[in-house]
């Protein structure tokens, strides 16, 4: 086992059930589900897997999984990709789960059963963060306290961080903790209909966090990054007309490629282009599936 990794990723770990429908039904009605696929969540685990595929040595800091088949398959997926972790001891009961419903227009609605994960994360072993060249940290509202501890741990160890807000508003505790850290990038996403707000949002994040780059993704419109000298833009890339793209994990793939490019010494503009290319490519492959045994 390596003593140092390129990237340590912090987030909750859960199994994800992805369901595709034509459109969302009205209240008190239903609709046919065309496909049900098992994957994994949150963004941190997908970032670690994607970054490992790009050649980085990666670690995952997360909650433990259950003794069920889904938990075993999650650990197998991480181990098979070479992502190191300290999750061998599993909890009694079921693995945390999130259900994502996706319609034909790409709208995503999620339903999370994550109480075990959010309760356990504040006591997670953060050692891998101190042994990394950079730390990717999910800063979702549901795990704010744990994310603050992860940022503080990285700061004390002199490890620079990439912070993913996951489209959530900035929590004051996250902003305070980041004030003492070296922030490579802070990332959030906007719905495509709000693309006109991307540059203003990036400017606001830059003022709050003073990172090397404040990054805002906008789906098929690409991304912008505000630095101390300029605003960089990168297109998302072309999607074939016949393709049926999904967006599950696209932001995580974006983050993984951004981190890989940054750690390879590229400038922010190049990191942004690499990230957009990876995010688009991720949407054109099948969902990041777990083996068939994890299906409902």
């Amino acid at each position: 086992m390596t003593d140092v990794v390129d990237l340590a990723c912090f987030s909750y770990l859960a199994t994800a059930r992805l369901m595709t429908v034509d459109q969302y039904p009205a209240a008190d009605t239903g609709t046919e589900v065309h496909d049900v696929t098992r994957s994994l969540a949150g963004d941190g685990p997908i970032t670690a897997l994607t970054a490992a595929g790009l050649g980085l040595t990666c670690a995952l800091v997360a909650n433990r999984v259950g003794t069920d088949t889904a938990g075993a398959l999650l650990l197998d997926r991480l181990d098979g990709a070479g992502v190191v972790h300290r999750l061998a001891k599993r909890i009694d009961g079921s693995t945390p789960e999130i259900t994502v419903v996706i319609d034909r227009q790409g709208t995503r609605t999620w339903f999370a059963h994550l109480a075990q994960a959010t309760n356990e994360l504040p006591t997670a072993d953060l050692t891998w963060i101190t042994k990394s060249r950079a730390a990717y940290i999910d800063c979702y509202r549901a795990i704010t306290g744990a994310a603050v501890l992860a940022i503080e741990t990285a700061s004390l160890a002199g490890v620079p961080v990439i912070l993913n807000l996951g489209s959530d508003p900035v929590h004051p505790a996250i902003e305070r903790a980041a004030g003492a850290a070296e922030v490579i990038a802070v990332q959030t996403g906007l719905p495509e209909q709000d693309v006109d707000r991307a540059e203003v949002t990036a400017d606001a994040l830059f003022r709050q966090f003073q990172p090397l780059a404040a990054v805002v993704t906008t789906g098929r419109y690409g991304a912008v990054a505000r630095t101390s000298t300029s605003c960089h833009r990168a297109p998302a890339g072309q999607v074939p007309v016949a393709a049926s793209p999904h967006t599950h994990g696209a932001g995580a793939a974006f983050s993984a490629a951004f981190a890989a490019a940054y750690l390879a010494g590229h400038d922010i503009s190049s990191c942004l282009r690499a990230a957009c290319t990876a995010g688009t490519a991720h949407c054109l492959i099948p969902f990041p599936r777990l083996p068939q045994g994890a299906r409902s």
Side-chain angles (χ1 to χ4, degrees), residues 214-287:
V215 179
V216 179
T217 60
T218 54
R220 62 190 173 96
Y221 295 109
V224 302
R226 167 60 66 188
T227 67
S228 62
T229 57
S230 61
C231 184
H232 305 265
R233 292 183 175 272
Q238 294 297 314
V239 177
V241 174
S244 298
H246 66 85
T247 59
H248 179 70
F254 179 102
S255 300
F258 189 99
Y262 176 82
L263 291 172
H266 294 288
D267 60 27
I268 294 300
S269 184
S270 297
C271 292
L272 195 66
R273 290 195 300 271
C276 282
T277 298
T280 299
H282 179 89
C283 293
L284 297 177
I285 61 175
F287 289 116

Side-chain angles (χ1 to χ4, degrees), residues 78-100:
L78 295 170
D79 294 340
V83 176
V84 296
H85 56 82
R86 302 190 176 195
L87 306 176
K89 184 178 180 181
R90 293 189 283 167
I91 60 168
D92 293 332
S94 60
T95 296
E97 180 173 0
I98 183 169
T99 297
V100 182

Side-chain angles (χ1 to χ4, degrees), residues 153-252:
T153 297
S155 179
L156 289 172
V159 174
V161 297
I162 296 172
L163 306 180
N164 174 40
L165 301 177
S167 301
D168 283 349
V170 178
H171 193 285
I174 295 292
E175 185 177 356
R176 286 194 298 270
E182 178 185 350
V183 182
I184 299 168
V186 56
Q187 175 184 333
T188 194
L190 289 176
E192 292 180 354
Q193 62 266 28
D194 293 333
V195 62
D196 291 343
R197 293 176 44 221
E199 190 168 332
V200 171
T201 301
D203 289 346
L205 287 176
F206 188 84
R207 289 192 298 270
Q208 283 182 284
F209 288 90
Q210 295 296 304
L212 289 180
V215 179
V216 179
T217 60
T218 54
R220 62 190 173 96
Y221 295 109
V224 302
R226 167 60 66 188
T227 67
S228 62
T229 57
S230 61
C231 184
H232 305 265
R233 292 183 175 272
Q238 294 297 314
V239 177
V241 174
S244 298
H246 66 85
T247 59
H248 179 70

